[in-house]
């Protein structure tokens, strides 16, 4: 049975997620590589090692992208192997637990030479991460699908650079790359009252299943394309 591996943040950790629905529909064995508060940096790092370990081309990879402002840092816990999420915030914001004020271009006399473009940089970084992950998966002939679990603003690129980078992403393997907030998994569930509660806006089980139904046709199509390509190559 082909394994389906779901990468992501807390949207991918519950007992029942969109990937559970998809795996049940397609008869795929499900594995989850996800963590509450996880970043896209974590997903990229885990993707490389997980597939190196399993060494299978028949593994379908489902990646739910989280918000672009999450970063990952190596800590001294567990023999220097524990990675932990942190967030970069603007100079006018307060530093706090997991929040690091980013203001490297201020001189000792207080003169600010440059102001960091944090949101713009985060959007560009996320686009680059997608390109790297997609290139890796294609090089291994691994079928895959990306989607925006959280909103990344690709419907309105903040820079010309980001706009050009988005053109490098193969949208055949991405569910609504340029999604509006309402078209992300988070926004879809909020708009349709499919969250756990008003306080906890994670998708409910029903929200997870309905999101899985939206992804399923695209996944079926990808698997069909992959199988036809495999038959052609073997023929």
């Amino acid at each position: 049975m082909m394994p389906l591996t779901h990468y992501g943040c807390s949207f991918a950790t519950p007992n029942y997620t969109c990937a559970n629905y998809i795996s049940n529909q397609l008869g795929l064995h499900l594995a989850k590589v996800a963590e509450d508060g996880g970043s896209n940096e974590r997903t990229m790092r885990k993707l490389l090692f997980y597939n190196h370990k399993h060494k299978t081309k028949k593994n379908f990879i489902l990646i739910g992208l989280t918000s672009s402002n999450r970063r990952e840092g190596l800590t001294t816990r567990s023999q220097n192997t524990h990675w932990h999420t942190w967030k970069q915030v603007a100079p006018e914001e307060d530093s706090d637990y997991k929040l690091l004020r980013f203001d490297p271009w201020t001189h000792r006399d207080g003169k600010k030479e440059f102001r960091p473009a944090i949101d713009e940089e985060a959007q560009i970084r996320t686009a680059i991460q997608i390109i790297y992950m997609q290139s890796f998966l294609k090089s291994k002939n691994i079928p895959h699908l990306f989607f925006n679990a959280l909103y990344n603003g690709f419907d309105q690129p903040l820079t010309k650079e980001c706009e050009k980078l988005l053109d490098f992403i193969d949208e055949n393997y991405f569910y609504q790359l340029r999604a509006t907030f309402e078209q992300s998994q988070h926004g879809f569930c909020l708009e349709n009252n499919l969250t756990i509660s008003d306080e906890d806006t994670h998708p409910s089980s029903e929200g997870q299943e309905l999101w899985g139904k939206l992804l399923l046709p695209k996944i079926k199509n990808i698997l069909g394309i992959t199988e036809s390509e495999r038959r052609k190559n073997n023929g």
Side-chain angles (χ1 to χ4, degrees):
M1 186 187 304
M2 176 188 283
L4 183 156
T5 307
H6 186 190
Y7 289 82
C9 59
S10 55
F11 279 36
T13 59
N15 292 330
Y16 190 79
T17 66
C18 60
N20 287 89
Y21 171 80
I22 293 164
S23 62
N24 291 341
Q25 293 296 309
L26 299 179
L28 306 179
H29 173 74
L30 177 62
K32 296 177 182 178
V33 183
E35 181 179 81
D36 292 348
S39 65
N40 295 323
E41 290 180 352
R42 179 184 188 275
T43 293
M44 187 164 64
R45 179 172 57 82
K46 289 290 186 179
L47 180 66
L48 295 174
F49 284 101
Y50 185 85
N51 283 284
H52 176 75
K53 177 182 177 182
H54 288 262
K55 295 181 180 178
T56 175
K57 293 183 179 179
K58 296 182 179 180
N59 192 3
F60 190 96
I61 301 297
L62 182 66
I63 296 177
L65 294 168
T66 188
S67 56
S68 59
N69 66 341
R70 294 181 184 178
R71 306 297 302 274
E72 191 180 45
L74 185 63
T75 72
T76 56
R77 181 174 153 192
S78 302
Q79 298 180 337
N80 297 349
T81 60
H82 180 76
W83 294 82
H84 202 74
T85 302
W86 61 279
K87 292 182 180 181
Q88 195 176 71
V89 297
E92 63 272 13
E93 297 182 52
D94 293 330
S95 293
D96 202 346
Y97 178 68
K98 293 188 180 182
L99 301 181
L100 179 64
R101 186 190 297 116
F102 188 66
D103 193 17
W105 297 292
T106 298
H107 294 270
R108 290 182 180 179
D109 60 6
K111 179 184 177 182
K112 293 183 180 293
E113 189 172 4
F114 302 105
R115 187 186 187 283
I118 290 175
D119 292 338
E120 292 84 350
E121 178 194 332
Q123 200 176 63
I124 290 170
R125 183 173 56 250
T126 302
I128 291 172
Q129 288 166 345
I130 296 167
I131 293 167
Y132 268 92
M133 288 190 281
Q134 194 169 75
S135 298
F136 169 76
L137 291 166
K138 285 190 169 190
S139 73
K140 302 293 184 182
N141 195 30
I142 298 173
H144 59 278
L145 181 68
F146 290 82
F147 66 91
N148 289 296
L150 295 177
Y151 178 61
N152 279 296
F154 290 147
D155 58 322
Q156 296 179 322
L158 298 174
T159 61
K160 293 287 186 182
E161 185 173 351
C162 181
E163 201 169 328
K164 291 179 181 178
L165 288 169
L166 293 179
D167 290 336
F168 299 155
I169 297 170
D170 188 343
E171 295 188 51
N172 291 314
Y173 299 90
F174 205 115
Y175 179 75
Q176 294 186 326
L177 170 64
R178 293 170 172 82
T180 63
F181 174 76
E182 293 78 11
Q183 291 170 329
S184 69
Q185 185 182 11
H186 185 216
F188 170 80
C189 291
L190 279 172
E191 287 292 308
N192 293 282
N193 297 316
L194 296 169
T195 60
I196 293 174
S197 68
D198 291 340
E199 293 75 28
D200 185 348
T201 61
H202 286 78
S204 63
S205 294
E206 184 183 3
Q208 293 278 11
E209 183 163 314
L210 289 176
W211 186 255
K213 288 182 178 180
L214 292 176
L215 299 180
L216 186 59
K218 188 94 171 175
I219 291 174
K220 285 182 176 179
N221 186 51
I222 291 168
L223 288 172
I225 291 172
T226 304
E227 189 57 37
S228 65
E229 288 177 348
R230 187 178 293 118
R231 285 199 300 266
K232 182 178 179 181
N233 292 335
N234 292 338

